[in-house]
Amino acid sequence: MTSYISIQDAMKQGTGKVSIRGWVYRERGSNKLKFITLRDSTNIIQCVFERSDFGKEWNEIDHI
């Protein structure tokens, strides 16, 4: 089972992998990159997705 932390705690951590969840506040990008801004009750964070890092999942990311 995945353990999620708040966006604020992820920002305090600074580096490394984290699992966060929230709602999509804003989305923009191109065919190669997507910038998705997530928000939860503690803060806002921007996530960057590169198409080369994703296979079939890119279609799901592209339709957010």
Side-chain angles (χ1 to χ4, degrees), residues 5-64:
I5 64 173
S6 70
I7 290 173
Q8 185 64 41
D9 288 342
M11 292 171 65
K12 284 180 188 174
Q13 183 174 320
T15 61
K17 281 188 169 185
V18 295
S19 295
I20 58 173
R21 60 181 166 190
W23 59 93
V24 176
Y25 184 66
R26 191 172 295 136
E27 177 273 329
R28 65 185 176 85
S30 65
N31 199 25
K32 294 182 181 182
L33 289 172
K34 288 290 176 188
F35 302 95
I36 297 177
T37 305
L38 287 181
R39 182 177 194 146
D40 71 5
S41 62
T42 64
N43 216 328
I44 299 171
I45 195 167
Q46 179 174 272
C47 306
V48 181
F49 297 88
E50 291 186 53
R51 185 176 191 150
S52 60
D53 293 338
F54 297 90
K56 295 180 246 178
E57 297 92 356
W58 184 256
N59 287 334
E60 292 178 33
I61 295 167
D62 197 33
H63 289 96
I64 288 180

